Amino acid sequence: MRRATFTDAAVSYAAIGGTLAPDLMSYPPKGYRPMEQSVKLGSSQDRFDAATKLLMTWGIQRGSGMEVTDLENGTGVQYTPVTFGPDGTPAAGQQHPVNEATFAADGTPYIANGMTATLRMKVWLFQVSAPVRVVYVIDEAARVGFAYGTMGGHPESGEESFIVEHRDDDSVWLTIRSFSRASTWYSRLAWPVLRFQQAKFTKLYLRALHPVGAIK
C-alpha cells in the first residue's frame, strides 16, 4: 500500500485554526462541542523552557500514555490557519512560514506545521488509532504551542491546541482548547464513551507537563 503523502492527507473538518478564535467557547463551529482548560505549571524562564521543549516533542501525548507513531514531516505545503483580532474577526495579511525541521537530543523531531502522526491509545478494552495533522505552530518569545486536526480514521472530528505561555508575572501556564464531535455514525453511537475518554485524556494532558503531577 502506498504511504499517504502530506498533501493528500487532508484533515476531516473545515474550521482549520478555529482553536485560535477568542470566542471559541461561545461560538464553536456549528455542530461541535468546545473545551478549554488551563493549569499553572510554575514560574520562571527555566520552567517555561523545559515545558515548551517537552510540549514540542510530543511530551504531552507520550506523558499521558499514548504512543506517537508514523511521524511524517510532509512535503512542505502548509495549511494557513485563520487568526482572529480582538473583535473576533479574521486578522488581515496573515502569513505563516514553514518551520524548518529541528530535533531534540534523542532525535525526536520537533513538532512543525504540516507534520502528521498517529496517536495510539487504549480505550477500555480496545486499541484506538487516531491520525492527526499539525495545522499551526506558535513560536513566540513568551508563547509556544501547536494545534492538530483530525484526519480520516480518527474516531472524532475536530481540532485541539496546546499552548504554553510565560506571563508578565513570571508564571507559566498550559492551556488546552478544542472543538470536537463524533466522526462517523458508529462513533456517534459510542459518543458518551468518547466524551468520557476525551475528558480523561485532557486531565492526563494537563498533568503531563506539571512538574509535580499535582493535578487532581
Side-chain angles (χ1 to χ4, degrees):
M1 178 180 294
R2 183 176 64 90
R3 179 180 294 274
T5 65
F6 179 85
T7 52
D8 60 21
V11 294
S12 57
Y13 64 104
I16 298 166
T19 47
L20 290 168
D23 58 357
L24 172 66
M25 296 304 295
S26 298
Y27 301 102
K30 186 176 181 180
Y32 287 82
R33 181 171 177 175
M35 182 281 296
E36 178 176 309
Q37 291 193 40
S38 296
V39 64
K40 185 178 179 180
L41 301 178
S43 301
S44 80
Q45 184 67 43
D46 286 346
R47 176 95 286 272
F48 175 74
D49 292 343
T52 55
K53 181 179 180 180
L54 195 60
L55 171 71
M56 298 306 290
T57 53
W58 302 97
I60 282 185
Q61 288 71 31
R62 290 182 169 127
S64 63
M66 293 183 178
E67 182 183 4
V68 182
T69 65
D70 302 328
L71 287 169
E72 293 284 346
N73 283 327
T75 63
V77 178
Q78 308 295 336
Y79 277 130
T80 301
V82 178
T83 56
F84 298 83
D87 61 354
T89 60
Q94 301 174 49
Q95 293 184 358
H96 299 271
V98 176
N99 295 59
E100 294 183 4
T102 55
F103 299 85
D106 64 357
T108 300
Y110 274 73
I111 291 169
N113 280 331
M115 179 178 284
T116 60
T118 299
L119 308 179
R120 302 188 191 279
M121 67 208 81
K122 187 173 182 179
V123 177
W124 291 52
L125 300 177
F126 304 98
Q127 290 291 332
V128 175
S129 294
V132 296
R133 180 179 186 177
V134 177
V135 294
Y136 66 79
V137 169
I138 294 172
D139 186 9
E140 301 170 357
R143 190 165 170 259
V144 172
F146 70 98
Y148 53 56
T150 59
M151 295 167 57
H154 198 296
E156 296 182 359
S157 169
E159 185 176 294
E160 192 163 27
S161 68
F162 307 85
I163 297 174
V164 173
E165 181 181 9
H166 193 187
R167 298 183 179 175
D168 292 341
D169 63 358
D170 202 34
S171 63
V172 179
W173 289 79
L174 167 67
T175 298
I176 300 174
R177 307 181 91 209
S178 70
F179 56 88
S180 62
R181 69 182 183 190
S183 62
T184 63
W185 67 267
Y186 47 85
S187 59
R188 284 194 291 273
L189 292 177
W191 188 234
V193 174
L194 291 175
R195 291 298 303 174
F196 173 81
Q197 290 297 321
Q198 185 182 56
K200 173 185 174 181
F201 275 108
T202 298
K203 185 179 292 187
L204 292 173
Y205 288 158
L206 290 167
R207 186 180 298 155
L209 292 192
H210 200 281
V212 294
I215 304 165
K216 303 300 182 182

